[in-house]
Amino acid sequence: MQLAIIGLGKMGANMATRLLNAGHEVVAYDLNADAVSRVVKQGGVGAESLDALTEKLQEPRVAWVMVPAGKPTETLITELSTRFRKGDIIIDGGNSNYKDSMRRAAFVGEAGIHFVDVGTSGGVWGLSEGYSMMVGGAEEAVDAVRPILETLAPGPEKGWGRVGPAGSGHFVKMVHNGIEYGMMQAYAEGFAVLEKKAEFELDLHNVAEIWRYGSVIRSWLLDLTSEALKENAKLDGIAPYVPDSGEGRWTVAEAIDLDVAAPVITLALLNRLSSRENDSFADKLLSAMRNQFGGHAIKKED
């Protein structure tokens, strides 16, 4: 199947590679010409502008947008809507606010363009492991891009699914990330308690390895925590500064609007905010975990 990928950051570039390896035709566009060249070297087709990209795509056109949420996504979808025609499909695979996705779906829908929002999880590991994708959009549009989703997922019938109409994919991903905050916080606090018990001289990497097998708290996050501790047991050089992408904030705000108690997610978010004011092993480990699963930059200590 042919599609365009717009935005060749780490995840977008890895998606292009996974699709090309499976025999799909990828038309690549990015403001960074070198990123486009790398996709072309793998067998993709490069486009030097959105006009050129539109011309290279067969109808019905499919464009997968992987740029930062907010103004970059808004601008790009607006520009695509002036070039695409009835029956074409725009997919937003970034971390947009679901309310923005609902509005954009209505906007492009006026021209008969389909909008599909795909909440995507997998980070830097998606290339080899596949991506978990929470898909929102009309059934006919999702069915039309099914070959792409089946290729990017861990398997054709697992790790992805249509969860509802436009906006629902990003809504589910928002809550997914809120849960992620809480899970990460629990691991970080637990290991901080272990690290503080100096008299036992605990090997935290060894503890993590023990917990990874048979334990009720085993998970992929624990796997990555173990790897982070193996690489840097004392987390030397890592500043206890934990960024937040915004989705945790949105989840907490939504919980309040819906009168749903979400204390764990809320406190995990507040801890990330407080991490910018203190020094703790737990916050250093949270930062190291984010780097392990998503390739997120680590703030170094001065």
Side-chain angles (χ1 to χ4, degrees):
M1 183 173 180
Q2 186 199 50
L3 78 156
I5 293 184
I6 306 173
L8 300 171
K10 291 179 181 178
M11 189 175 287
N14 284 347
M15 285 182 165
T17 298
R18 190 173 175 93
L19 289 164
L20 287 167
N21 288 344
H24 295 279
E25 181 182 344
V26 174
V27 180
Y29 173 69
D30 192 279
L31 295 178
N32 182 347
D34 290 338
V36 175
S37 295
R38 286 191 287 271
V39 174
V40 171
K41 289 179 180 178
Q42 297 177 62
V45 176
E48 66 277 8
S49 67
L50 290 180
D51 287 334
L53 177 142
T54 303
E55 292 176 0
K56 293 175 185 291
L57 289 173
Q58 304 162 3
E59 296 185 13
R61 303 176 185 87
V62 177
W64 188 299
V65 176
M66 287 297 291
V67 300
K71 187 175 180 179
T73 297
E74 183 78 13
T75 299
L76 184 53
I77 290 176
T78 299
E79 291 187 3
L80 283 174
S81 70
T82 66
R83 294 167 171 81
F84 279 22
R85 297 292 180 263
K86 183 178 180 179
D88 292 344
I89 301 172
I90 298 174
I91 303 170
D92 179 5
N95 285 330
S96 294
N97 187 296
Y98 81 94
K99 295 178 181 178
D100 289 334
S101 296
M102 293 175 69
R103 175 177 52 78
R104 290 166 186 156
F107 169 68
V108 303
E110 293 177 358
I113 300 169
H114 296 292
F115 182 88
V116 176
D117 54 295
V118 180
T120 310
S121 181
V124 296
W125 294 85
L127 176 59
S128 59
E129 303 296 325
Y131 299 91
S132 172
M133 293 173 291
M134 298 135 265
V135 185
E139 290 186 19
E140 61 179 299
V142 175
D143 285 342
V145 298
R146 176 179 289 271
I148 298 170
L149 299 169
E150 290 180 342
T151 298
L152 291 175
E157 302 298 331
K158 63 181 180 180
W160 80 276
R162 177 182 179 271
V163 296
S168 64
H170 282 151
F171 179 81
V172 174
K173 177 58 162 53
M174 176 190 75
V175 177
H176 164 283
N177 280 26
I179 293 170
E180 176 187 297
Y181 277 38
M183 292 176 65
M184 291 174 67
Q185 186 66 34
Y187 281 128
E189 291 177 5
F191 278 99
V193 173
L194 296 174
E195 190 267 344
K196 197 71 172 179
K197 195 66 172 176
E199 64 187 276
F200 286 161
E201 298 182 349
L202 297 170
D203 180 337
L204 299 189
H205 172 248
N206 180 49
V207 172
E209 283 295 295
I210 293 170
W211 286 351
R212 285 181 61 207
Y213 302 97
S215 166
V216 71
I217 64 169
R218 63 188 184 274
S219 73
W220 185 46
L221 278 174
L222 181 60
D223 296 342
L224 299 176
T225 299
S226 178
E227 187 63 28
L229 291 169
K230 178 182 179 181
E231 295 173 0
N232 185 357
K234 298 296 183 181
L235 306 181
D236 294 329
I238 299 177
Y241 182 101
V242 189
D244 67 283
S245 62
E247 292 190 298
R249 299 183 187 216
W250 301 340
T251 304
V252 171
E254 194 71 28
I256 293 171
D257 287 345
L258 296 172
D259 291 328
V260 175
V264 172
I265 296 173
T266 302
L267 289 175
L269 170 64
L270 293 177
N271 183 77
R272 291 198 179 194
L273 300 180
S274 68
S275 75
R276 296 148 204 191
E277 302 174 358
N278 60 23
D279 181 20
S280 76
F281 186 87
D283 291 333
K284 291 182 178 183
L285 187 54
L286 282 171
S287 185
M289 274 190 265
R290 291 181 83 251
N291 176 259
Q292 285 288 328
F293 69 73
H296 301 290
I298 290 176
K299 183 174 181 179
K300 301 296 184 180
E301 288 185 313
D302 296 331

